[in-house]
Amino acid sequence: MGLTRREFIKTSAAAAAAASLGTSLIPGAASQLFADSTKWHKSVCRFCGTGCGVMVGERDGKVVAVKGDNLNTINKGHLCVKGFYLHKIVYSDTRLKHPMIKKDGKFQRVSWDEALNFVAERFNSIRKQYGPDALAFYGSGQAETEETYMANKLYKGCIGTNNMEGNPRLCMASAVGGYLTSLGLDEPVGTYDDIEQAEFFMLIGSNTAECHPILFERIIRRKHQNPNVKILIIDPRKTPTDQITDLHLFPKPGYDLAILHAMARIIIKEGYADEQFIKENVVFKDNKKDLTFEEYKQFLEKYTPEYAANDSGVPAEDIVAAARMFGRAKTAMSMWTMGINQRTRGVWANNLITNLHLLTGKIGKPGCDSFSLTGQPNACGGVREGGGLCHLLPAHRSVKNPKHREEVAKVWDVPVSNIQPKPGKHTIAMFEALNKGEIKGIFILCTNPAQSLPNAAKYRKGLEEQFVVVSESFFPTATTKYADVVLPAAFWTEKEGVYGCTERRSQYMPKIVEPLGEARWDAFILRDLAIRMGFKKEFEKYKTAEDIWNEYISLTKGKDMDLSGATYRRLKKVRGLRWPVPSEDHPGTYKRYVQGDPLFDELPREKKKGRWIYFYGKPEGKAVVWARPDKGPEEPTDEDYPFALTTGRVLEHWHTATMTGAVPELNRAVPKAYVEIHPEDAKRLKISNKDQVVIETRRGSLKIEARVIDRPEPGTLFVPWHWEEWMINNLTIDAFDPGSKEPEYKVCAARIKKA
Amino acid sequence: MSKTTKWLLAVAGVLIIIFSLQFNLQADDEKEEKHPEVDFTQSCMECHKEVTPDIVRDWEKSKHGVMNFGCYMCHGDGQVEFYRKPSTETCLSCHTGEPVDARKGGNLQCFSCHNGHSLKFHQ
């Protein structure tokens, strides 16, 4: 980066202070920020997938403050520590302000015309010489829906390649696979409203307190108001979430599938299953065929508490207690994130969680849901719903489906033959293809794969050798080092658009200030690039963000995720709308598949046959309970690598810290990476707190400070992944789930020694 | 110059010196309130657990502690910004819908009633 860590912190701290001069939260200056001269704009937080409402304070054309939006029902005015500092990030010294082209190894400032013409010429030249599949796009769950929509049209509809991916592949793909295979359609049945009605929470593979703090706060409040509410955690590591737990199961990383089967077995054996619900609404399958309920029970016989205990390291009696907690509760809500999704059997793990809800009938009712938490603010809205992955088209459509291709081609006004029927390369395959030279040009938008890919060092070859364009708000990042062209992208508050969060809620964000320097909105960068590549007719019509949104929502009409009623006009007034919302007078949908869901309500009576829930994405409206085998991680521990290495987040930082790293307070709170090691392991290896240690895996090594603490279980190491200086992703494994193609960041074999 | 005038000038001079000294003393007090040199390789909490354990314990039990809203939220990062006595404005960024409007209480601030670390209502 050219700056030491300490210099960087100082520089960004000084910049942030200068930027907020006269507007920071100065003691005694009680009238400054909340004075009439500050104009407040309703918006949405830029960080995780919770979708908290924020009010952005603007004065004299500058963003000067952020406060929670107390009218937004998600966070009711509260913010977590990251959202609290959003305004400081807008004017970070690390903002990229001008287009640059790398000439003779050094970035040189150029005009927008020169940069875009250069990219267009190179992309067209690659396309002409090697075909459309030699080009690729790698986007982001942080991009607005409008931005991803433009990239989708350019790549799939005009260039003619499905090599279009986004970082949600690395975090949400297994949840998508889980919902599709279990319930028939992507995204949750319920919403956050269920939190206040649930009697039992199963938090599995989720450090809710640090990764989704506002939802954690809602769970805390629910428990404080109702002491009978029980909380079960299944996670290999003790975290701040444990403050509210009633029972914590600590499986070895990657060994929780057998626990979930054992819980299902106990639930059935002890009479907690809802036989009527099962009879009416559920079918059973294994990986090859349909099963009867009896055959499923036979499958479960293997999964005694003792078997699961032996597999996972969790005491059998705790597994029994966990199953009884789930079974006895009148209502139950499961929540999970990367501990479940980032696994080579992430889809199966998702299925097995939903199994418990289907067996007990605790789904589709208030206070009940199998609810995946999202890590990015628009992974659901822009990429899952917008179709920003290599096998998808907008509005939950598939490239494989000829009808879907026709529908989309018609709206895009492109020949249907442009859209290839074969899925493109998923993320890991895409970066492998860059390494091999099969992909020769890539446009990377609003993400930092050189740091965030698993086994990251392996994929730098392709980034070094091929033509790389990076559109970013921040510079430098680990990825811009490898760029041939960097394009300055407008940041949050400098552009308008829509984010869709975890609970199917789409929320509008206004443009409040002008972009810094020469930064431009990504959707228009893509539009202008497309025009220069020869797609003028297809792109010149997009004059405003609303033009793009209107076209997108026209594609959602009649789909399960109908957003036809979520017009800009309406979204500007309300605190988001939860789809399906088929018309402008529709209030949005709290629960899918039941009364109140317009798609359920429209189903003919003869189809519903008196049923109160109908999973209309599945044949006969029946969800699937899956008999999946239990399987451990791709790289189990062994004599040479006896530790399980797992990675994750801290409360104060986010992803590759391009944003949180620009906030002095957040750097101050957690200034560096560390490895958590259990005191027993540390004692055996003669490692003391704050010693420098070396972690090694089959892919790389990292020198880092030890934190001797009883958060991880013996035999497990934990490293937060935010820092480029301590890049743990050089050590993580790039094996991926064969279904979702999501990599197994959460488990690999490692060893550790004193440096 | 009359004797009275000289006398008045002398008194004024003495007063100016006294006020100046007082101002300087106040300035020195403010200087003393500055946070000592910070080791940026560790977090606030790592050090304060040792030097102010009672305060950290109070905080840990508070709602802010449960949510892990650290020292920096109210006191700044300690280098660019350090607030020995945090302001109500900081609170209002999150507590936007609180039932008590502190501004109606004249100079009443959040910490007039709430203990700064336990956050308990103490008045």
Side-chain angles (χ1 to χ4, degrees), chain A residues 386-412:
Chain A
L389 295 176
C390 68
H391 61 298
L392 297 174
L393 288 169
H396 287 173
R397 288 180 173 87
S398 165
V399 297
K400 287 182 182 171
N401 187 316
K403 186 165 172 276
H404 290 176
R405 292 198 301 276
E406 272 176 31
E407 289 166 349
V408 173
K410 190 178 173 190
V411 171
W412 281 352

Side-chain angles (χ1 to χ4, degrees), chain A residues 237-258:
Chain A
R237 179 171 163 255
K238 194 188 290 177
T239 69
T241 313
D242 277 80
Q243 294 172 98
I244 55 166
T245 189
D246 292 283
L247 177 64
H248 189 144
L249 312 188
F250 294 93
K252 290 183 292 182
Y255 290 93
D256 47 12
L257 299 190

Side-chain angles (χ1 to χ4, degrees), chain A residues 13 17 25 27 29-30 32-33 67-68 70 77 79 81 85 88 213 220 243 651-652 665 668-669 671-672 690, chain B residues 38 40-44 46 66-69 72-73 76-77 79-81 83 85 87 89-90 92-94 96-97:
Chain A
L25 306 178
Q32 278 201 10
L33 291 176
K67 64 178 180 179
N70 62 357
L79 293 174
V81 300
Y85 291 112
K88 295 199 171 189
I220 291 176
Q243 294 172 98
L651 172 74
E652 296 83 355
E665 287 85 348
R668 192 70 196 86
K672 60 182 181 296
K690 298 196 176 184
Chain B
V38 174
F40 274 87
T41 64
Q42 61 176 357
S43 70
C44 309
E46 281 177 86
V66 171
M67 293 298 291
N68 204 16
F69 287 177
Y72 57 94
M73 293 285 285
D77 69 306
Q79 185 183 37
V80 179
E81 295 171 2
Y83 311 129
K85 292 180 180 173
S87 79
E89 276 201 338
T90 316
L92 293 180
S93 290
C94 272
T96 51

Side-chain angles (χ1 to χ4, degrees), chain A residues 334-355:
Chain A
S334 299
M335 295 180 180
W336 67 94
T337 37
M338 298 312 128
I340 289 296
N341 294 341
Q342 290 178 334
R343 301 266 296 279
T344 44
R345 285 301 173 192
V347 174
W348 292 4
N350 271 265
N351 291 146
L352 302 198
I353 295 168
T354 303
N355 278 0

Side-chain angles (χ1 to χ4, degrees), chain A residues 4 60 66 147 182 225 291 334 346 444 525 600 611 619 634 641 646 649 732:
Chain A
T4 66
D60 302 328
V66 164
E147 294 166 335
S182 288
Q225 289 169 352
L291 303 176
S334 299
I444 297 170
I525 294 175
F600 174 89
R611 287 163 58 186
E634 184 71 14
Y641 295 92
T646 188
R649 295 180 184 176
T732 49

